[in-house]
């Protein structure tokens, strides 16, 4: 037996050897891909493919002109968007989102890019404010 084999055996006897037969950690299945298309005030479009379950605000962070956000708690409505295509591919509007739009005097048909989640397919939105 080689010295390496002896060390391995001693470690195993002392209980400090890594388990050889330990099951591998489960692999998370890949998320479905979704596409976000953002239109600005002049009609220029930019698009990016992201993962299902992420918000339009998060996905737009990879674009040349990301959607602007002014807060960290969905209270300012800076990231409001108008859904032009694919509203069925977004999560339902929750009470917090409706309240934020109302408190900031924004129409109730708008969505907050930080609160909505793209669940599947393609969503096309008009954004009103962008990061420079």
């Amino acid at each position: 037996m080689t010295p390496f084999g002896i060390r391995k055996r001693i470690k195993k006897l002392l209980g400090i050897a890594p388990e050889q037969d330990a099951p591998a950690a489960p692999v998370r299945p890949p998320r479905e891909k979704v596409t976000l298309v953002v239109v600005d005030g002049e009609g220029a479009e930019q698009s990016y493919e992201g993962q299902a379950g992420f918000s339009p605000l998060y996905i737009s962070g990879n674009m040349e002109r990301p959607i602007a956000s002014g807060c960290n708690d969905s209270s300012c409505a800076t990231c409001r968007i108008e859904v032009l295509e694919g509203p069925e591919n977004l999560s339902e509007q929750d009470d917090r989102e409706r309240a934020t739009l109302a408190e900031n005097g924004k129409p109730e048909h708008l969505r907050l890019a930080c609160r909505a989640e793209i669940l599947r397919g393609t969503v096309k939105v008009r954004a009103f404010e962008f990061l420079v």
Side-chain angles (χ1 to χ4, degrees):
M1 192 177 276
T2 66
F4 182 75
I6 293 172
R7 286 189 196 115
K8 235 180 182 178
R9 262 185 104 177
I10 291 172
K11 284 182 177 181
K12 188 173 180 179
L13 290 170
L14 293 172
I16 57 175
E19 288 293 323
Q20 297 293 332
D21 299 37
V27 177
R28 180 182 294 179
R31 290 185 180 201
E32 181 181 338
K33 295 289 183 184
V34 296
T35 304
L36 172 66
V37 180
V38 179
V39 180
D40 66 16
E42 288 84 45
E45 292 185 5
Q46 52 182 346
S47 66
Y48 196 83
E49 186 176 79
Q51 294 182 354
F54 289 155
S55 70
L57 182 66
Y58 183 84
I59 293 174
S60 80
N62 295 301
M63 295 179 170
E64 186 176 326
R65 292 182 62 209
I67 298 171
S69 175
C71 66
N72 290 322
D73 60 357
S74 66
S75 63
C76 72
T78 301
C79 66
R80 69 196 179 282
I81 53 176
E82 178 182 10
V83 181
L84 303 174
E85 294 176 17
E88 68 280 359
N89 296 333
L90 289 174
S91 60
E92 293 292 321
Q93 192 176 42
D94 61 16
D95 292 338
R96 175 72 183 141
E97 189 173 356
R98 281 189 285 276
T100 298
L101 289 168
E103 289 167 6
N104 289 284
K106 305 300 179 195
E108 61 185 39
H109 73 277
L110 297 180
R111 299 293 308 266
L112 296 180
C114 65
R115 296 289 294 183
E117 293 179 357
I118 303 177
L119 304 175
R120 64 192 155 276
T122 299
V123 176
K124 185 174 184 177
V125 301
R126 172 174 287 113
F128 299 93
E129 298 185 43
F130 294 89
L131 293 178
V132 227

